[in-house]
């Protein structure tokens, strides 16, 4: 059975999806608001235990996705988005959502590469950029490849299916 925190999450993610698709950016007011709503909700409903529950979710999700941000795999807005998700749903559920998001993003990336006409060219240039960066100990070629617009998409395209998968497997598949 869905709880209040689940509906808060759904509203949060719908707004984030709209902004990410339309502007390719998740606004700070939304991510900070998600964190604040999660913390206040859990503090009011669970006292100090709820506050700890919310802060742990925020910190764990933020820290893990911060590592991905450092390697430029995701944007800063995505880090803050998942910190907000963690504040709303806690550590256990946000870890599943993060795992599924990364898997779905990888699959979407493969599909994008397969259905663009320049698949072989991109794979070859990715290989040479990777090897060239390692041999020269200079990451500039790899950075140039990673910022190619055709290989990027809004991360929310992976987050929404990940949330659906998480709720399905955690609440419906085994009941």
């Amino acid at each position: 059975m869905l709880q209040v925190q689940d509906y808060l999450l759904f509203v949060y993610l719908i707004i984030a999806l709209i902004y990410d698709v339309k502007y390719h950016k998740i606004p700070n007011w939304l991510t900070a608001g998600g964190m604040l709503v999660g913390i206040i909700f859990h503090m009011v409903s669970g006292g100090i235990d709820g506050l700890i529950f919310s802060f742990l979710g925020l910190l764990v999700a933020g820290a893990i996705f911060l590592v991905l941000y450092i390697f430029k795999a995701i944007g800063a807005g995505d880090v803050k988005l998942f910190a907000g998700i963690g504040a709303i749903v806690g550590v256990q559920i946000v870890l599943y959502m993060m795992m599924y998001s990364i898997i779905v993003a990888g699959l979407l990336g493969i599909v994008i590469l397969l259905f663009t006409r320049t698949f072989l060219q991109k794979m070859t240039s990715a290989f040479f950029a990777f090897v060239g960066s390692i041999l020269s100990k200079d990451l500039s070629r790899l950075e140039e490849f990673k910022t190619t617009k055709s290989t990027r998409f809004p991360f929310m395209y992976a987050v929404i299916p990940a949330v659906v998968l998480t709720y399905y497997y955690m609440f419906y598949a085994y009941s």
Side-chain angles (χ1 to χ4, degrees):
M1 175 122 193
L2 295 176
Q3 299 175 353
V4 173
Q5 69 188 25
D6 301 318
Y7 293 108
L8 291 172
L9 175 68
F10 299 154
V11 169
Y12 178 58
L13 291 177
I14 289 168
I15 296 168
L17 174 66
I18 292 167
Y19 270 89
D20 199 19
V21 169
K22 190 171 183 179
Y23 302 110
H24 295 278
K25 184 176 180 170
I26 301 171
N28 288 334
W29 63 264
L30 179 62
T31 55
M35 291 178 220
L36 192 60
V37 165
I39 290 168
I40 291 171
F41 172 77
H42 287 291
M43 188 173 65
V44 168
S45 65
I48 193 74
D49 289 337
L51 183 66
I52 293 169
F53 172 86
S54 188
F55 265 119
L56 283 177
L58 184 150
L59 292 174
V60 167
I64 291 172
F65 266 33
L66 184 60
V67 172
L68 292 175
Y69 170 73
I70 290 169
F71 290 106
K72 298 196 189 296
I74 59 173
D78 300 319
V79 175
K80 296 178 279 185
L81 174 83
F82 267 90
I85 293 171
I88 295 169
V89 298
V91 174
Q92 181 183 9
I93 295 175
V94 81
L95 286 174
Y96 281 104
M97 289 178 184
M98 292 167 69
M99 175 190 66
Y100 287 129
S101 292
I102 292 167
I103 291 169
V104 171
L107 293 173
L108 283 173
I110 290 170
V111 168
I112 288 170
L113 287 175
L114 287 175
F115 287 101
T116 55
R117 301 211 182 273
T118 57
F119 174 71
L120 187 58
Q121 175 192 6
K122 287 180 184 174
M123 295 313 301
T124 304
S125 67
F127 174 75
F128 285 118
F130 181 72
V131 171
S133 292
I134 289 174
L135 293 176
S136 68
K137 298 180 183 173
D138 177 22
L139 298 178
S140 62
R141 283 193 216 165
L142 198 55
E143 291 297 323
E144 289 172 19
F145 178 78
K146 288 193 313 188
T147 58
T148 303
K149 294 288 184 198
S150 62
T151 58
R152 299 182 63 97
F153 58 89
F155 193 58
M156 288 302 296
Y157 289 169
V159 174
I160 298 300
V163 170
V164 171
L165 285 168
T166 300
Y167 275 88
Y168 175 75
Y169 283 115
M170 290 198 71
F171 299 110
Y172 300 112
Y174 303 110
S175 56

